[in-house]
Amino acid sequence: MTDGTPPLILDGAPRYLSLLPVEAVSFTSGRELDHTGAQLVMRTCDRVVPRAARYITGGARGGDALIGHYLAVTRREAEHVIILPANLSQTDPWWEPFLQVPPLPLAPRPENFIIIRMPAGTTYEDRNAELVARGNTVFGFPAYLEGDTPSRYAG
């Protein structure tokens, strides 16, 4: 500063993008998630995802499971909605340990979890549309670029 005022130093800690709190944040992710992808997801949850009363995740293995479990541990006070596809063959029931009564120490309360199964005959695209419809903000971590064939099946 040219006026002699010292620069503002904020305890040396990094500052991150912070969004205002919202009612509900939805997530969807690819089922195949490598170490780098997992790191990206967790850092995004820590640094970008706003505080919310409710987090809505899919119930598939891979990215959905990582996001849901990570948020259940790091945002224990929130409600956690898990939307399962009609076809349960690709699901990962990461939430089951959290439903124990009495709850695990430092775990979210079992009543903070809501499990919704999509009706028979619906697709992952339908499940993803439901995730989007239930959130004010949506974060997606796709496994494929939008134009790739597998991406079309997920919506």
Side-chain angles (χ1 to χ4, degrees):
M1 297 259 172
T2 57
D3 65 359
T5 306
L8 179 62
I9 298 175
L10 301 172
D11 70 19
R15 297 292 172 229
Y16 304 114
L17 174 65
S18 175
L19 300 176
L20 294 174
V22 296
E23 178 63 27
V25 180
S26 295
F27 297 85
T28 185
S29 180
R31 287 190 292 271
E32 302 302 324
L33 196 63
D34 63 12
H35 180 73
T36 302
Q39 294 280 324
L40 172 69
V41 166
M42 291 184 289
R43 285 187 181 132
T44 301
C45 288
D46 288 342
R47 299 176 181 181
V48 181
V49 173
R51 294 286 169 187
R54 181 178 314 111
Y55 296 100
I56 302 121
T57 58
R61 64 179 173 80
D64 284 352
L66 173 69
I67 295 165
H69 190 266
Y70 192 76
L71 290 169
V73 170
T74 61
R75 314 265 174 111
R76 292 187 299 268
E77 70 288 348
E79 181 178 81
H80 298 275
V81 178
I82 300 105
I83 301 181
L84 303 176
N87 176 359
L88 298 179
S89 68
Q90 297 296 317
T91 59
D92 176 353
W94 61 265
W95 59 87
E96 287 181 352
F98 294 109
L99 300 181
Q100 293 181 23
V101 178
L104 299 169
L106 301 176
R109 296 184 317 273
E111 59 269 18
N112 282 15
F113 289 87
I114 298 170
I115 314 299
I116 299 170
R117 184 170 179 191
M118 293 294 292
T122 57
T123 64
Y124 271 92
E125 184 176 0
D126 298 325
R127 193 273 325 240
N128 287 347
E130 187 69 21
L131 288 165
V132 170
R134 289 176 177 266
N136 303 99
T137 302
V138 178
F139 286 84
F141 300 94
Y144 303 98
L145 296 174
E146 195 170 333
D148 287 349
T149 302
S151 177
R152 286 188 231 137
Y153 297 113

